[in-house]
Amino acid sequence: MAGVVAVAACGSAGTSGDDGAVTLEVWSVIDPESTTDPRGAAFQDQLEVFEESHPDFKVNVTVYPFAKIAEELIRASATGRGPDVVDVYDPVVPMHIAAESIQPLDDYAGPWLDEFGDDYIFPLEPLRGGGDSIYAMAYEMRGQVLWYRQDLLDQAGVAAPTSLSEVAASAGALSELPGDVTGFGFGLSTDLAGSDLVEKFIPLLWGFGGEYIGEDGRAEFNSHAGVQAIEWLLSVRDNGGYGEGALRTNSDDVLAQVRAGTAAMTVGGTQRVASARTGDGVGENLVTAPIPGAEPGTVVPTLVEGWTYAIGANSEHPDEAWEFIKAKLTSEYQVRSADAGVLPVLASTYENGSPELLSWRDYLAEHGRSVHYPEDWSELNTDLTAAVQDIIFHDAPVQETLDELAEAYNSEHGFD
C-alpha cells in the first residue's frame, strides 16, 4: 500500500490507473514503518483506514528528511512535477507561496472551517502565510519544553530546575555523574539548518524580551535580549553542561543521546518525547516541564509550530488530495495521534488526554508564540548557528558578532 524510501528522487503528482483508481503521491517527513517513532504507527493506521474507506484510492508515500523536503518540493514544482499532498512546516508556508509550489486551499478549507472551525485550535495566521488565502492545514502541534531525566537528577542530588540559572547549575552537576553523560543535550552543528540551536535560542530570546525577526522582516536578534540568550548558553557551557561535542551534534543527534541515556537534560519539541522514551531505561524517567524563566517560578514563551498538509502546485487530483488531508483532521485520527504523544489540533480531542498532554496544551495556550521565517530561513538559521559556534567555542564577542550578522542580513534585504 505505502511505498516508503528514505530519500527519493522527485516523483510525479498522482495518476489514474487503468482500473480507475487514483494514486495519490504523498511526501512525508514521518515514516509509517518507523520502529522508534510512535508517530509512524499512527500514520500507518491512517493510511490503512483511508484506503479501506476509499477503495478507489491508492496512496504512495515517499519519506524525506525534514530539512530537505522544502527544497525538494520547490525543485520538483519548478519542473512541473511534485506530490499531490506534501508535509510543509508551518513557518515556511510563505516560502512555498512565493515559490508557487503549493495551491491555495480556500475552496476546501473554507467550508471545513465553517463546520469545524470552533474545534480547530491551531492558529490560522501561519497557514495564510501573511495573506488572505489558506495554503495549508496543520494536523499536529508542538512546542519546545524542558526535558530532564528524573532518575539522573536524583542520582546527582539536585532538584528539578525552576529557573534558567538552576538549569545551568543542574546541567553541570549531571555532567559529573559516572559514565558518558552530557548534562545538557545541545546541538551546534549547522546540519539540518541549525535547528537545534534556533529552536532553543528563539524561546530564550522571547523570554528576555526580544524578537528574532521583526514584523517588517528586519533581523532583530542582535538586541540586548539576544545577548542575554547567548550568555545563558555560555553559562551552561561554563558549568560543564556541554562541551565541544556540540559542534558535531544536530537535533537528531540530541534525540538519539536522550534515547541512549547519554544526555540528561535538554530543551526539545513535545513531538519527540514519545520517541525519546523508547530508549532502554528511559521511559517515564524522562519528565517534561515548561521552560523555566530567569526568575524562579516563571516560564519563557514556547515556540509553537506544527506540520501541515498542503496540496502540491502540480497535483492533478486536488479533490482527492483534500479527501486525504481531511482524514488527518478527523477526531479518530487526532485521538490516535494524541496516543502517540503528539498534540492534536482539535480541542475536543483533549477530553481524555493524559496529564502531560494537558500540561503541554495549557503551556502552548498561555505562553505559546509562532514565528514566520523569511524565505531564506535556512541560510539565516545556518549563519546564526555558525556565528554562535564562534562565540561559544572561539571567544568571538557576543554583541559584535550578532551585530555583524544582523547588519549583513538587513543590508542584503534592503534595510538601512
Side-chain angles (χ1 to χ4, degrees):
M1 178 197 65
V4 182
V5 294
V7 180
C10 299
S12 300
T15 58
S16 297
D18 294 338
D19 58 358
V22 172
T23 298
L24 288 176
E25 295 292 337
V26 176
W27 287 9
S28 175
V29 296
I30 299 173
D31 185 351
E33 296 184 355
S34 173
T35 59
T36 59
D37 187 349
R39 295 176 298 169
F43 187 25
Q44 182 66 38
D45 287 350
Q46 180 213 358
L47 294 171
E48 293 174 358
V49 170
F50 181 79
E51 285 204 332
E52 288 174 2
S53 59
H54 295 78
D56 293 334
F57 288 55
K58 294 181 179 178
V59 181
N60 186 64
V61 177
T62 303
V63 180
Y64 285 91
F66 76 86
K68 295 292 185 182
I69 194 168
E71 63 184 68
E72 292 293 341
L73 175 62
I74 291 173
R75 182 180 298 113
S77 299
T79 59
R81 298 182 294 171
D84 295 293
V85 179
V86 59
D87 268 329
V88 173
Y89 206 35
D90 78 273
V92 300
V93 168
M95 179 178 71
H96 287 296
I97 295 174
E100 299 183 346
S101 53
I102 56 178
Q103 302 182 21
L105 300 181
D106 295 324
D107 291 343
Y108 303 110
W112 188 90
L113 288 168
D114 288 342
E115 184 175 357
F116 301 105
D118 290 342
D119 199 28
Y120 191 68
I121 59 176
F122 195 90
L124 294 179
E125 181 184 358
L127 308 179
R128 300 184 190 277
D132 295 327
S133 292
I134 292 178
Y135 278 82
M137 289 296 291
Y139 60 82
E140 56 96 38
M141 301 170 61
R142 76 273 302 271
Q144 298 298 308
V145 296
L146 179 69
W147 302 8
Y148 59 88
R149 285 282 299 270
Q150 184 63 59
D151 56 332
L152 297 182
L153 284 178
D154 293 342
Q155 187 178 340
V158 295
T162 62
S163 68
L164 286 173
S165 60
E166 290 179 7
V167 171
S170 298
L174 290 164
S175 291
E176 295 177 359
L177 290 173
D180 184 20
V181 176
T182 296
F184 188 79
F186 183 40
L188 261 180
S189 168
T190 54
D191 289 349
L192 308 181
S195 58
D196 199 68
L197 177 276
V198 173
E199 290 179 350
K200 290 175 172 61
F201 176 70
I202 291 178
L204 290 169
L205 182 63
W206 287 338
F208 288 114
E211 296 290 343
Y212 190 50
I213 300 292
E215 292 183 1
D216 61 354
R218 183 190 301 268
E220 297 183 0
F221 52 76
N222 59 323
S223 62
H224 180 57
V227 173
Q228 289 177 291
I230 299 301
E231 287 178 342
W232 180 79
L233 292 172
L234 285 166
S235 75
V236 180
R237 180 206 64 182
D238 293 342
N239 277 296
Y242 62 87
E244 291 192 8
L247 291 168
R248 301 179 296 277
T249 302
N250 60 38
S251 56
D252 285 347
D253 298 326
V254 172
L255 172 63
Q257 289 172 356
V258 176
R259 189 187 293 135
T262 56
M265 184 165 50
T266 192
V267 168
T270 54
Q271 82 283 3
R272 289 186 152 192
V273 172
S275 179
R277 286 180 173 145
T278 63
D280 186 27
V282 181
E284 296 306 312
N285 286 317
L286 181 63
V287 178
T288 64
I291 305 170
E295 300 298 325
T298 64
V299 301
V300 305
T302 185
L303 179 59
V304 178
E305 297 175 320
W307 281 104
T308 77
Y309 270 155
I311 297 178
N314 299 313
S315 173
E316 296 180 357
H317 302 288
D319 293 347
E320 291 83 355
W322 175 249
E323 287 297 313
F324 186 82
I325 293 173
K326 280 200 306 181
K328 203 98 167 190
L329 299 174
T330 61
S331 295
E332 292 78 12
Y333 178 80
Q334 291 289 303
V335 168
R336 180 66 180 85
S337 184
D339 291 341
V342 177
L343 282 162
V345 295
L346 299 182
S348 58
T349 311
Y350 291 88
E351 292 177 359
N352 298 311
S354 68
E356 182 177 55
L357 198 73
L358 295 175
S359 72
W360 293 347
R361 178 201 62 184
D362 293 344
Y363 182 33
L364 269 64
E366 296 173 17
H367 302 284
R369 294 181 57 185
S370 59
V371 62
H372 291 296
Y373 291 135
E375 292 180 23
D376 55 351
W377 65 278
S378 179
E379 180 180 352
L380 174 60
N381 291 0
T382 301
D383 289 346
L384 175 66
T385 302
V388 176
Q389 287 179 357
D390 287 340
I391 292 170
I392 292 180
F393 291 111
H394 301 104
D395 298 321
V398 181
Q399 185 70 69
E400 290 85 341
T401 302
L402 293 180
D403 283 345
E404 182 179 349
L405 177 58
E407 289 168 5
Y409 178 85
N410 289 334
S411 176
E412 182 181 348
H413 291 77
F415 297 109
D416 295 331

